[in-house]
Structures are given as structure tokens and as C-alpha cells.
Amino acid sequence: MSWGAELWDQFDNLDKHTQWGIDFLERYAKFVKERIEIEQNYAKQLRNLVKKYCPKRSSKDEEPRFTSCLAFFNILNELNDYAGQREVVAEEMGHRVYGELMRYSHDLKTERKMHLQEGRKAQQYLDMCWKQMDNSKKKFERECREAEKAQQSYERLDNDTNATKADVEKAKQQLNLRTHMADENKNEYAAQLQNFNGEQHKHYYIVIPQIYKHLQEMDERRTIKLSECYKGFADSERKVIPIISKCLEGMILAAKSVDERRDSQIVIDSFKSGFEPPGDFPFEDYSQHIYRTVSDGTISTPKQEGLKIDSKTTVGKAKGKLWLFGKKPKGPALEDFSHLPPEQRRKKLQQRIDELNRELQKETDQKDALIKMKDVYEKNPQMGDPGSLQPKLSETMSNIDRLRMEIHKNEAWLSEVEGKVAARGDRRHSSDINHLVTQGRESPEGSYTDDTNQEIRGPPQQHAHHNEFEDEFEDDDPLPAIGHCKAIYPFDGHNEGTLAMKEGEVLYVIEEDKGDGWTRARRQNGEEGYVPTSYIDVTLEKNSKGS
């Protein structure tokens, strides 16, 4: 199967076919280019999608903790890796397929042009040989006709009796000349014919088959190249399939890592305040005084006046002693986090202690490194001056001492919080017992004690939970002091309901810390308010403690 043997007369069609082959190759190259653009745009859009939904973390507190969030962010990371693999596919196609096709197309055009030029030159040479042979043939034919005319003229004059001998001799010479020229043209025509036949045989059996063979090989190589590019086009994507499969497996593992129970626990840890739920409100029997008046048969005006509550005074007092956690204070956060609920305060203190321990470990490692370097310098003075390390060493030691003090202070606050959290259950239990005892003291007839103060202050002592609702119904008489306290640190007391104090100042304790980090205190001038428990050293009276 050879183009030279089968298509010896189809030069123009082969010219068109080879041009079509190159056009088809370039068309496929254009297809690959558009596929590369699709892959690049797809990867770009995937990366933009990942970037759009990735969290913008400004602080550690905003880092995702829920397993569903972590799983989603892991899926985004896997999708980002998947986008990277699409970029690898585009790059591989561009280098292995498109780039190779464009280089090969350029070489193919050059080779085709060269082979077609050789074929045209061979055809032009054969046409030139045919023209030379045809010219010699026509000249031989013309000379033969002229020789035949000279022969007829000579015979006519030779038979004519009236013709002179000179005319006959002239006609004979002309005949001989024409005959000689005819013979020469005959020989020339024969030589040209033989040469043309040889060139024609060479053209159709040697030159053209060789040129067509080159064109056939060129077209077959083009077909093979297309086959290789088809395979490379598929291999470019098949190579990344294992990595893409790992990305998809990572997404599945991320989905399996979602733990609803853990997320629920995180919600508890994030928002748990550590406060105890409010207890039951005791029944306040205002009919006691009515029963007492009826039984005594007299009207006690002073006691009635003592029981009367001025609504204006009560409302004003309630506004001055609002429950601190009813609304979050707008002031700056306190160093010991006493403005937070107990559980959140404990978490914050624990986080700070962990951070301080990490900083302490870094400073300790740096101190050890400086000491080793100083020893090396002392043993080898040419390496450096040991005295140059002393300032840095002193600074490191100072930082270590500072960090240890900070850790000790925060651990003290943490121990205080943990102790109060552990004692909350006991305190609530004892409060419930006191409540029951107090209720049990009242007789069905509404009996009472003659002590007016005890009568008025009875309800606040019967239950341990103090809130804004109770403040609205408090009486104007001051609560008794159950102990005293000394301020360890100064406190500004800018927030509503707090009491400012100076370092070393002694105050009366009128209400213990109920687990919220605040103690109610009073100055000697009668000014009352809440102060941070961690800022004071409390001493309770033995007979008042636990009451």
C-alpha cells in the first residue's frame, strides 16, 4: 500500500489531503486549548469559592470549635487541594498536548511545503522534457514536408524538357539540403523522444513515488501524533485521579468526624454561667400583724409604722442596687475576670494560666540557652564576650519572675473560683434547710417574735438567692454586719451597684459571696455596694457564718 504506486496521478488531491490533515491537527489543538481554559477557570472559581467561605479569624476566641464547623473547614481545605489538581491537569495538558501539537504543526507545515515543492519541480522538469521532444518532433515533421516539396519540385523540373540544366541542378541541391535537414531533425527527434521517455519513466516510477512516500510517512506520523495526544489528554487527568480520590476520601472522613454530642458539650462549656437556679420564694404572711392586733386587743402604732414601706424609697433603693448580672457592665474587663459568671471565669483563668505557662517555658528555655552560651564564651573568650549576655540574661530572669508571679496570682483566683463552684451545692442544700426551718417556725395562727428587726429582716435571711425582684421589696433598715473585710487591691466601683474601695480599707461584710464573685459590703458611713471577692480578705463572725 503505497501512495506512489496507487496515487501516481493524484498530486492535487494529495496536496489538499495533507493540508486538511494539518488543519485537523490545529483544530484539535484549539479544542485542547479551550479545555485548558475551562480547567483553569474551574480551578479559579473553586479557589474563590473556598476563599469566600473560609473563616476570617481575627483572634483565637473566634476559632471554630464545633465538629460540624471543623468538618466543613476540612472539606474546604480538601476542595482547595482538588482545585490545585485541576490546575495540574491544565498545566499537564498545556505542556504535554497543546504545546507539543503547536510545535509539531509548525514542523509539519515546513516538511509538507518542502515535499510539495520537490513534486512541483519534478513535474516542471518532465513538462520541459516533453516540450523539447514535442518541438523536435514538430521541426522534424516540418522538415519532412519541406523535403517532400523539394522532391516534387525536382521531379517536375527533371521531367520538364523546357527546364534548363541549371534549374534542374538547383532543384536537386535543394532536395539534398532538405533531405539532409530532415535526417538531422529525425535524429534530434529520436534523441529527444528517448530522453523524454526516460525522464517520464524516472518521474513516475522513481521521483514521484519517493515524494509521495515522504508525504505518506508525514501524514502517518501526523496520525500517530494525534493518537499520542489523545492518550496524553486522558493521562493528564488520570494521573491526578488518586490524589482527587484522596481529597474526596478526606471529605467523607470530615463528614464522619461530626459529633453531635461533642458539639452539645461545647455549647454547654461556652455558655455555662455556673450560677445555681433561683430557689423557691417563701410565703410571706402579712396577716401575722392582723392576728396579733386582734389577739392583743390593742393597736401598736409604732410597729405598724415600722412595717410600712415607702414605695418611693423602695424604688429608689432598688435602682441603686441592681443585680450586677442583670445587664453586662459597660466598663472595662477586670484582670481577674470577676465580671464574668463563675464557670466562664474559671475557663478564662485556666486559659490565661496555660498561656503564661507556655511563655514561662519559652523564657526558661531561653535562659538555659543563654547560660550555656555564657559558659562557652567563658571557656573560649575568642568566640565572644560573656558580659554581653548579662543584660539579656537579666531581662530573661526578670520575665521569668514576673510570669511566675502572674501564674501564682491567677492560680489563686482559679482556686478561689473552683472552691466556690464546689461549695455551691452544699450552700444551696443548707439554704433549703434554713428555708424549711424558718417556715416551720411560723405557727398557723401567725405567731411572731417581739423583735421588730428580726421580723422585718426575716424574709431575706430565709432564702439565699438575692435578685432584683427582692431588692424592690427590701426595707430601709440596714442589714447587720456578719463580719469584716480588708481590701487587698484598690477597686474603682464605676459600675452601678458597686462600692469603691482603697487598698487596706476595712469594710463591714453584710452579705457573703453567693458564687458570683461579689461580696456585699458597707462603709462606716453607711454606704453599701458590691465589691469583688478576690480583691478582699474576708473575716466572718463565728456566730454569723452559715446563718
Side-chain angles (χ1 to χ4, degrees), residues 93-104:
M93 285 184 180
H95 174 72
R96 183 176 177 181
V97 182
Y98 180 73
E100 185 67 22
L101 283 174
M102 296 309 295
R103 289 191 295 270
Y104 188 75

Side-chain angles (χ1 to χ4, degrees), residues 440-503:
R441 245 193 346 255
E442 296 180 359
S443 64
E445 294 79 16
S447 61
Y448 60 93
T449 176
D450 292 335
D451 187 354
T452 307
N453 292 333
Q454 182 178 352
E455 215 170 281
I456 296 174
R457 291 193 297 269
Q461 293 177 355
Q462 289 174 0
H463 52 88
H465 296 282
H466 183 78
N467 54 29
E468 183 179 351
F469 178 78
E470 294 172 1
D471 282 338
E472 294 179 359
F473 296 96
E474 271 191 334
D475 58 341
D476 293 336
D477 293 339
L479 294 175
I482 60 175
H484 64 275
C485 64
K486 183 178 181 181
I488 305 174
Y489 308 105
F491 180 63
D492 295 335
H494 292 315
N495 296 328
E496 187 177 8
T498 59
L499 180 65
M501 62 181 180
K502 299 178 181 179
E503 184 178 356

Side-chain angles (χ1 to χ4, degrees), residues 336-354:
D336 60 350
F337 300 112
S338 57
H339 62 288
L340 296 176
E343 186 64 24
Q344 301 301 321
R345 182 187 180 194
R346 184 187 64 78
K347 289 178 60 178
K348 288 289 185 181
L349 288 172
Q350 187 62 55
Q351 291 177 3
R352 179 186 287 174
I353 290 172
D354 294 339

Side-chain angles (χ1 to χ4, degrees), residues 229-243:
C229 290
Y230 293 160
K231 183 175 179 294
F233 182 82
D235 285 341
S236 299
E237 188 161 0
R238 187 172 63 179
K239 285 181 179 180
V240 302
I241 287 179
I243 303 178

